[in-house]
Amino acid sequence: MSQTVAAFQRCPRCGNENTAESFACNFCGIRLKIERIEKVRFFRRYETEWVAPYPWYMKILFLFVNAPKAFFDINHKRSKAPGWLILLFSSLLYGLMGLAFLSHFNFTSLPTFSPELAMFNLSFFIAFFVFGFSFQLIYFAILIYLFTKGANYAVGFSGKLEKRFGALKEQKEKVKETDMSPFSIYKGGTMLQLEGSYKFKMMLCAFTPFLLINGIKILIVLFGFPTVDVDALSTSEILNDMAQMFNAPTWAVLDIIDAITIATWVPLLMTLAIRELSNSSTTRVLIPTIIIGVVVAILFYFLRPTLFG
């Protein structure tokens, strides 16, 4: 009997039973345990009645201005997580970055509004967009894998996802078999929103900062390089000038900005995503995500032999 009691905790608000390691009620969303770190506003769990998901653009906005609220909403309708949209928009910004880079080349042999120049600009945009999408998809997937491994070590992340978001049929049976309180009129929890975990899609939302960061990088590229005159008919001259541009120290500034983002902002958002998905301790999730972010930033950016010229 004592083991059964120890394995569960009853929600003081709706009266339903939750597992002992739950930090928020799966039925009404009220906090069952309050950690010291939640005194910091950024980490405070969001508590309210959930009715319907916000539009995708509001979710992205909240990921910047109120991340706990954003992930609270996303976690209630994980299939509507804007993760792929964030990746798409970030890739489009890569395309604009390519155009910003190309704007520093004055093709003397082509009129400003010629079809040839327009096609050249379009091809450059597409090339940077495809590169940005491919690179970020692979890079983000690797980071999600590493963050998942860290969360598995800290809170048993994958195991909790399996318990919380198994097959939909199993979820429905679990809810039917649950001895729910007749006073369960609240909709702040996630138990009654029966759908898969959509882990990858939701964790992609942690890379929202790159929408802002890539915008800043576009401005740096736009104003951080000199404009050079090149002959559009001379392929060797174009390639030589582009090679010199790509070796400019300005790119090191962009790498440093990316490194700081990966080491700080992304791990903070990833902590909230993992916490909401697994209903786990904020502190225990935060520690490995910060460590992984810092290590990746050091290995991927700061150890480059060409970073500082």
Side-chain angles (χ1 to χ4, degrees):
M1 181 67 181
S2 60
Q3 291 181 350
T4 304
V5 174
F8 294 93
Q9 54 182 326
R10 188 171 295 278
C11 176
R13 185 191 191 198
C14 68
N16 289 299
E17 288 186 342
N18 294 265
T19 57
E21 66 270 16
S22 295
F23 279 74
C25 178
N26 288 313
F27 297 90
C28 71
I30 191 175
R31 287 183 292 177
L32 300 175
K33 302 176 184 177
I34 300 177
E35 300 177 86
R36 183 174 299 179
I37 195 173
E38 292 181 26
K39 293 180 180 179
V40 180
R41 184 177 179 274
F42 181 85
F43 295 108
R44 191 174 303 151
R45 296 177 192 265
Y46 193 75
E47 295 178 288
T48 189
E49 295 304 314
W50 186 85
V51 179
Y54 287 109
W56 62 266
Y57 52 87
M58 290 300 297
K59 293 176 183 177
I60 294 177
L61 175 63
F62 285 135
L63 283 166
F64 283 108
V65 301
N66 193 340
K69 182 177 182 179
F71 281 112
F72 172 85
D73 180 76
I74 293 170
N75 193 37
H76 280 77
K77 196 67 176 177
R78 293 172 296 279
S79 60
K80 299 293 185 181
W84 289 108
L85 283 176
I86 291 168
L87 176 62
L88 175 63
F89 293 152
S90 184
S91 302
L92 289 172
L93 289 173
Y94 258 81
L96 294 178
M97 197 183 308
L99 291 181
F101 176 74
L102 189 62
S103 68
H104 293 285
F105 295 90
N106 181 27
F107 297 101
T108 56
S109 58
L110 291 177
T112 305
F113 300 103
S114 65
E116 294 84 357
L117 185 58
M119 289 300 297
F120 192 70
N121 288 335
L122 179 60
S123 62
F124 219 75
F125 172 82
I126 294 175
F128 266 72
F129 167 75
V130 172
F131 167 77
F133 186 86
S134 303
F135 167 73
Q136 290 183 118
L137 178 59
I138 296 172
Y139 187 37
F140 293 170
I142 293 173
L143 286 171
I144 287 175
Y145 172 80
L146 294 175
F147 285 128
T148 299
K149 287 296 184 182
N152 285 342
Y153 178 79
V155 296
F157 180 50
S158 296
K160 288 187 176 182
L161 290 189
E162 184 65 28
K163 289 181 181 179
R164 298 191 76 200
F165 311 113
L168 293 182
K169 185 177 180 180
E170 294 177 1
Q171 289 188 60
K172 293 177 182 178
E173 292 298 325
K174 185 177 180 181
V175 172
K176 288 180 181 179
E177 294 173 2
T178 301
D179 185 18
M180 293 182 63
S181 166
F183 302 104
S184 296
I185 60 174
Y186 306 105
K187 299 183 183 298
T190 58
M191 179 62 77
L192 302 181
Q193 284 73 52
L194 301 176
E195 59 178 4
S197 67
Y198 292 91
K199 181 187 79 171
F200 189 82
K201 194 175 183 181
M202 183 166 171
M203 293 176 77
L204 273 178
C205 296
F207 298 99
T208 303
F210 282 102
L211 296 179
L212 175 62
I213 296 303
N214 286 342
I216 294 174
K217 288 162 66 176
I218 289 173
L219 295 177
I220 294 175
V221 171
L222 197 59
F223 298 104
F225 292 98
T227 300
V228 295
D229 294 330
V230 294
D231 184 1
L233 301 179
S234 176
T235 304
S236 59
E237 183 179 348
I238 294 176
L239 294 177
N240 182 59
D241 288 335
M242 284 189 175
Q244 292 181 4
M245 285 283 197
F246 278 119
N247 291 326
T250 305
W251 296 103
V253 176
L254 305 186
D255 286 340
I256 292 173
I257 293 175
D258 280 343
I260 294 173
T261 305
I262 288 294
T264 56
W265 200 348
V266 169
L268 294 179
L269 292 182
M270 190 64 72
T271 296
L272 300 185
I274 294 173
R275 179 188 75 178
E276 292 296 324
L277 273 170
S278 59
N279 197 358
S280 300
S281 164
T282 305
T283 305
R284 293 181 62 185
V285 173
L286 176 64
I287 294 172
T289 53
I290 288 291
I291 292 174
I292 291 170
V294 171
V295 170
V296 169
I298 293 173
L299 295 178
F300 193 78
Y301 295 101
F302 290 114
L303 291 186
R304 289 184 183 179
T306 58
L307 179 60
F308 299 105

